[in-house]
């Protein structure tokens, strides 16, 4: 068992405002608690939470169907978008292509969150070629006031609300696992540097970057301080937060080295990925960082040599999960990466905050030293588990202690500080996931989430809406298994070949497919052709449908419920395999319709043949 790190010297005590502040170019009110202008030690009662300020943005993200391979928007396409811009009183210009038909458009002035959403909706409504349009909102770091002072990392080892780490360290310390901290970057703190691997700075905007340039391989944090009202709207001056350095230290600060603090997964590595700077960070940059850190490819950025198995996102903003963010998360999960996010600090339903409400993430609420819900923590049905995040409302001994920097604007010297917030709870879970994956690398993201939930212990105090329980590192590592080999997969079942029967060009004439599994051999006869198929889906079953087009064609796949309402779709590029999945939770069988639609490429008996695989 590793010893608990001794109380470090030179510890800074930081008092952070609770107001949720807007930001230059930001969109929906963002759940963020930036630091104040002064970093001197402070005492006193916590500041009461304030309502979110108005937020702004000067960008929208637009996904076009017909420009999937284009690197720029043509003048006619831009002109259609400008019609919506004229009504909003802004001029649009191309900013950058994200790939796959997705483009970031810049506005010539900032719009409020409501105005930007209305503009995006108008762009989509005015152009049938637009797959989706949404504001390029800014997400920001999440935490709350930090009244000083306590003397040890109770959040790791105390029996009431601690993580039960010492017992977990007997089995795993995270060796071989990389955790990406998608945040403000890092400072090369002496108690952290040994556990860092190469990251990247994804901030493309020079103002937000605050380091004299755009994207580059230097993920160091130059500071995110702002002057009063610099981010749009009305807010006070704020000093640099060094937020990413604090989060990274919780995950993997150097441990058992006689210096400073310990980390949850001391033998894991941290990949710092910088997406948050002055006033926060854009969704498009954050999404690219999620893709890249998990081992995906981003145009213009060299692939990482150390893909992360865990992503920590201690950031967030108001509103629903954007398509851009959800697609990035889905891609990360497909590469086996677990995505851990903070629930938010607004003392409300986490379902109203992104990425906490995105599908496929592990959303983390916060408890204080008593094990009760921290007064600021968001809750609700999207929350999966809770972890220690600190709660200083009742005194000065309940924060989370980790690595930091003493600079109020530009970097200063190494130090340590107590923070509180769901931003601090999330890295406790990300570090625990690293311990689990080090013991059993074969775990999938779904298996990790299930093990975290099933092994969580009951809350010692009230924490309604905080998920399945309080994360227990020892129990989670036990649940990870890794000693017994998995059972062999069942033998494959050869699907029954089924020939398409025309005319099946309408919902009413959909061709019934009975065998399970089945492989339908069909043809898109002409550009106007569309094929419908009908499947009876049993109670509690999941239908998987896979469309394989000709190599030179692009056909799209849609799924509809028994009433003919679209419930799923897949529209990938030329030659790529589209797939959808439909789960039926009812108690009796239902009907699901599948539709294959022409988009581009060959047609007819020679060039339009495709297969549709169906299984449940």
């Amino acid at each position: 068992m590793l010893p608990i790190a001794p109380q470090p010297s030179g510890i800074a005590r930081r008092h952070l405002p609770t107001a949720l502040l807007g930001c230059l170019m930001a969109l929906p009110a963002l759940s963020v608690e930036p630091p104040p202008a002064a970093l001197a030690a402070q005492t006193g009662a916590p500041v009461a939470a304030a309502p979110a300020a108005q937020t702004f943005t000067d960008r929208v993200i637009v996904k076009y169907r017909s420009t999937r391979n284009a690197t720029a928007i043509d003048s006619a396409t831009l002109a259609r978008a400008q019609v919506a811009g004229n009504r909003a009183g802004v001029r649009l210009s191309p900013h950058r292509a994200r790939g796959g038909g997705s483009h970031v458009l810049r506005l010539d002035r900032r719009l409020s969150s409501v105005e930007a959403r209305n503009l995006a909706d108008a762009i989509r409504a005015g152009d049938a070629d637009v797959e989706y349009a949404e504001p390029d909102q800014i997400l920001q770091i999440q935490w709350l006031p930090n009244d000083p002072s306590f003397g040890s990392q109770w959040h790791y080892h105390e029996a009431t609300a601690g993580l039960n780490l010492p017992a977990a360290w007997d089995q795993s310390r995270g060796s071989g696992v990389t955790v990406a901290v998608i945040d403000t970057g890092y400072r090369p703190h002496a108690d952290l540097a040994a556990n860092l691997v190469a990251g990247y700075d994804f901030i493309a905007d020079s103002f937000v970057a605050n380091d004299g340039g755009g994207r580059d391989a230097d993920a160091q944090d130059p500071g995110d301080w702002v002057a009063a009202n610099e981010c749009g709207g009305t807010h006070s001056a704020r000093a640099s937060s060094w937020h990413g350095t604090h989060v990274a230290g919780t995950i993997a600060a150097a441990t058992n080295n006689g210096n400073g603090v310990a980390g949850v997964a001391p033998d894991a590595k941290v990949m710092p990925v910088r997406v948050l700077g002055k006033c926060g960070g854009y969704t498009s940059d954050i999404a690219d960082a999620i893709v890249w850190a998990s081992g995906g490819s981003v145009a213009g950025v060299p692939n990482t040599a150390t893909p992360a198995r865990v992503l920590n996102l201690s950031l967030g903003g108001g509103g629903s999960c954007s398509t851009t963010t959800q697609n990035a998360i889905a891609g990360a999960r497909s590469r086996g990466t677990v995505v851990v996010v903070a629930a938010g600090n607004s003392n409300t339903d986490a379902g109203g905050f992104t990425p906490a409400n995105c599908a496929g993430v592990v959303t983390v609420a916060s408890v204080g030293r008593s094990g009760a819900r921290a007064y600021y923590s968001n809750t609700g049905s999207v929350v999966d588990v809770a972890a220690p995040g600190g709660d200083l409302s009742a005194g000065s001994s309940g924060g989370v202690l980790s690595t930091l920097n003493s600079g109020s604007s530009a970097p200063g010297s190494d130090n340590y500080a107590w923070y509180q917030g769901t931003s601090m709870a999330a890295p406790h879970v990300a570090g625990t996931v690293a311990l689990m994956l080090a013991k059993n690398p074969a775990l999938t993201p779904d298996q990790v989430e299930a093990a975290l939930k099933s092994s969580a212990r009951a809350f010692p105090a009230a924490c309604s809406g905080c998920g399945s329980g309080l994360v227990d590192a020892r129990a989670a590592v036990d649940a990870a298994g890794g000693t017994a080999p998995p059972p062999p997969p069942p033998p494959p079942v050869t699907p029954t070949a089924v020939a398409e029967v025309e005319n099946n060009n309408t919902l009413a004439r959909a061709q019934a497919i009975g065998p399970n599994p089945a492989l339908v051999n069909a043809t898109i006869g002409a550009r106007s052709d569309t094929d419908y198929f009908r499947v009876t889906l049993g109670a509690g079953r999941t239908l998987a449908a896979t469309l394989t087009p000709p190599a030179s064609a692009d056909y799209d796949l849609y799924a509809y419920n028994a009433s003919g309402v679209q419930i799923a779709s897949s529209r990938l590029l030329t030659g790529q395999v589209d797939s959808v999945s439909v789960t039926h939770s009812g108690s009796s069988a239902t009907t699901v319709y599948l539709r294959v639609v022409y988009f581009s490429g060959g047609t007819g008996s020679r060039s339009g043949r495709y297969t549709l695989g169906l299984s449940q």
Side-chain angles (χ1 to χ4, degrees):
M1 179 184 299
L2 296 180
I4 296 299
Q7 179 177 340
S9 60
I11 296 173
R13 294 171 179 154
R14 189 164 292 188
H15 180 239
L16 306 177
T18 52
L20 306 184
L21 299 177
C23 184
L24 174 69
M25 305 173 289
L27 262 156
L30 305 181
S31 301
V32 58
E33 294 71 37
L39 295 181
Q42 301 183 40
T43 59
V47 180
Q54 179 62 279
T55 56
F56 304 86
T57 191
D58 63 349
R59 299 181 191 177
V60 292
I61 304 169
V62 184
K63 173 71 179 296
Y64 293 95
R65 296 186 177 92
S66 63
T67 60
R68 295 182 176 185
N69 299 314
T71 57
I73 298 178
D74 60 48
S75 58
T77 301
L78 184 61
R80 292 194 297 272
Q82 185 58 53
V83 172
N86 291 342
R87 291 197 294 269
V90 295
R91 181 164 296 279
L92 308 176
S93 60
H95 180 62
R96 69 182 181 91
R98 298 188 62 249
S102 179
H103 299 265
V104 179
L105 303 183
R106 182 186 285 275
L107 320 180
D108 64 352
R109 68 179 179 88
R110 303 169 198 150
L111 297 182
S112 70
S113 58
V114 174
E115 292 169 333
R117 169 52 64 189
N118 291 340
L119 171 61
D121 290 344
I123 291 173
R124 183 176 62 253
D127 189 345
D129 192 38
V130 174
E131 184 175 326
Y132 66 82
E134 56 193 14
D136 194 359
Q137 73 179 71
I138 291 180
L139 307 184
Q140 301 177 326
I141 54 180
Q142 297 185 315
W143 63 52
L144 278 182
N146 193 345
D147 298 323
S149 134
F150 72 102
S152 66
Q153 291 175 287
W154 61 267
H155 39 100
Y156 288 173
H157 63 83
E158 281 191 355
T160 301
L163 203 61
N164 196 17
L165 261 182
W169 283 334
D170 287 341
Q171 299 185 63
S172 175
R173 300 178 193 174
S175 179
V177 179
T178 298
V179 182
V181 175
I182 299 177
D183 212 291
T184 65
Y186 77 100
R187 294 309 309 162
H189 196 289
D191 205 15
L192 179 62
N195 282 344
L196 296 175
V197 297
Y200 206 84
D201 182 354
F202 273 90
I203 302 178
D205 187 283
S206 59
F207 169 80
V208 176
N210 198 32
D211 60 0
R215 292 184 171 184
D216 54 49
D218 184 3
Q220 290 197 59
D221 186 351
D224 57 359
W225 77 95
V226 294
N229 307 328
E230 190 176 9
C231 297
T234 302
H235 65 80
S236 61
R238 305 192 295 267
S240 292
S241 65
W242 317 115
H243 186 264
T245 299
H246 195 279
V247 169
T250 296
I251 293 170
T255 304
N256 203 32
N257 62 349
N259 180 43
V261 296
V264 173
D267 290 350
K269 298 298 182 183
V270 167
M271 174 198 291
V273 187
R274 187 167 182 251
V275 297
L276 304 178
K278 289 176 75 72
C279 304
Y282 282 105
T283 293
S284 54
D285 290 341
I286 295 167
D288 283 352
I290 291 171
V291 172
W292 180 84
S294 61
S297 296
V298 173
V301 181
N303 290 350
T304 177
T306 55
R309 289 295 311 275
V310 191
L311 307 183
N312 187 95
L313 283 85
S314 289
L315 48 78
S320 60
C321 181
S322 71
T323 304
T324 300
T325 302
Q326 188 63 71
N327 288 346
I329 290 169
R333 282 172 48 83
S334 73
R335 291 181 284 274
T337 302
V338 180
V339 184
V340 179
V341 303
N345 306 317
S346 299
N347 186 26
T348 189
D349 189 347
F353 294 83
T354 180
N357 55 16
C358 293
V361 301
V362 179
T363 300
V364 185
S366 176
V367 301
R369 199 166 184 176
S370 69
R373 181 184 72 88
Y375 65 92
Y376 53 80
S377 180
N378 287 350
T379 56
S381 61
V382 301
V383 174
D384 295 299
V385 291
D391 187 341
L392 300 173
S393 61
S396 58
S397 61
V400 170
L401 181 63
S402 187
T403 49
L404 211 73
N405 189 276
S406 66
S408 60
S409 53
S413 58
D414 292 350
N415 71 346
Y416 303 85
W418 291 279
Y419 280 170
Q420 67 174 21
T422 56
S423 278
M424 284 63 254
H428 283 78
V429 177
T432 299
V433 173
L435 301 180
M436 297 167 68
L437 291 173
K439 184 180 181 187
N440 186 0
L443 290 174
T444 67
D446 285 341
Q447 289 171 333
V448 167
E449 180 178 340
L452 281 170
K453 291 179 176 180
S454 65
S455 64
R457 67 182 188 266
F459 293 107
C463 199
S464 177
C466 294
S468 298
L470 186 59
V471 167
D472 186 301
R474 167 62 187 272
V477 172
D478 287 343
T483 55
V493 178
T494 303
T496 302
V498 178
E500 177 194 10
V501 177
E502 293 281 6
N503 176 0
N504 60 342
N505 291 4
T506 66
L507 194 71
R509 299 181 63 89
Q511 179 181 346
I513 306 297
N516 177 38
L519 184 67
V520 182
N521 296 289
T523 302
I524 291 292
R527 294 186 177 186
S528 60
D529 190 13
T530 182
D531 296 333
Y532 284 92
F533 303 93
R534 173 165 50 88
V535 178
T536 299
L537 181 58
R541 305 296 293 274
T542 296
L543 172 65
T546 302
L547 166 64
T548 305
S552 60
D554 182 0
Y555 304 157
D556 294 328
L557 179 61
Y558 296 82
Y560 304 84
N561 65 15
S563 301
V565 177
Q566 182 181 319
I567 53 178
S569 67
S570 178
R571 296 172 287 186
L572 300 182
L573 302 179
T574 298
Q576 295 189 17
V577 175
D578 285 291
S579 61
V580 298
S581 177
V582 177
T583 299
H584 176 43
S585 58
S587 58
S588 60
T590 189
T591 299
V592 176
Y593 295 93
L594 285 307
R595 182 189 183 197
V596 179
V597 180
Y598 172 89
F599 185 84
S600 65
T603 61
S605 59
R606 289 190 176 183
S607 302
R609 295 179 180 176
Y610 67 90
T611 62
L612 180 64
L614 301 172
S615 63
Q616 57 176 293

